[in-house]
């Protein structure tokens, strides 16, 4: 069964490191999203009184230098998932248990359309 690997990374530098590690490991077809967590949103709201209750991410990013990224990829069931997790942990500085290291999770994908075999079969 294919899996989706999701990494929520607190800085642009860490996201670049993870993307480089994933690419070197043979992962392609990664999707990258700008994101913000609720804790950071509350911190921003506490600092500024002009932020609406549900601000757009674009508005926050235009006003604030904040570079959290959520990256994800779907890999086929033959892909070396444990190896990918290891290189991801190494790229964030050892593991995800350290403060401000981010979050990584893997979830099974029951249906996937458009997953080209050459995207994830280059390295196992």
């Amino acid at each position: 069964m294919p899996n989706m690997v999701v990494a929520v990374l607190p800085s642009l530098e860490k996201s670049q490191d993870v993307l480089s590690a994933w690419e070197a490991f043979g992962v392609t077809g990664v999707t990258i999203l700008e994101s913000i967590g609720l804790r950071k949103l509350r911190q921003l709201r506490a600092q500024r009184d002009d932020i609406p209750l549900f601000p757009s991410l674009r508005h926050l990013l235009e006003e604030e230098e904040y570079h959290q990224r959520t990256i994800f990829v779907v890999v086929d069931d033959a892909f070396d998932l444990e190896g990918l997790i290891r290189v991801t942990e190494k790229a964030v500085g050892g593991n995800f248990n350290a403060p401000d290291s981010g979050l990584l999770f893997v979830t099974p994908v029951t249906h996937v359309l458009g997953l080209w075999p050459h995207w994830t079969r280059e390295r196992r």
Side-chain angles (χ1 to χ4, degrees):
M1 174 179 301
N3 289 287
M4 180 169 61
V5 181
V6 180
V8 181
L9 304 162
S11 71
L12 187 58
E13 180 182 335
K14 283 188 181 181
S15 61
Q16 291 296 331
D17 293 344
V18 169
L19 288 168
S20 295
W22 282 16
E23 187 175 37
F25 199 71
V27 173
T28 59
V30 176
T31 299
I32 306 162
L33 304 172
E34 293 177 333
S35 57
I36 188 167
L38 183 58
R39 185 180 72 180
K40 181 64 175 176
L41 180 61
R42 286 186 174 151
Q43 288 172 349
L44 290 173
R45 285 187 48 81
Q47 294 169 2
R48 296 180 43 189
D49 59 2
D50 63 334
I51 295 179
L53 181 61
F54 294 105
S56 71
L57 185 55
R58 178 180 298 277
H59 174 77
L60 286 173
L61 293 172
E62 288 173 354
E63 300 293 323
E64 182 79 19
E65 280 295 315
Y66 187 70
H67 297 291
Q68 178 173 307
R69 298 288 188 266
T70 299
I71 63 174
F72 63 93
V73 66
V74 176
V75 295
D76 67 26
D77 55 344
F79 195 80
D80 181 4
L81 188 58
E82 294 302 319
L84 181 60
I85 292 169
R86 280 192 303 277
V87 300
T88 307
E89 285 186 307
K90 184 176 178 182
V92 298
N95 65 57
F96 282 94
N97 293 325
D100 298 318
S101 60
L103 171 75
L104 180 125
F105 64 92
V106 178
T107 186
V109 176
T110 59
H111 293 82
V112 62
L113 303 173
L115 181 64
W116 295 1
H118 68 274
W119 282 1
T120 57
R121 292 179 192 235
E122 294 171 7
R123 171 122 183 198
R124 295 180 191 222

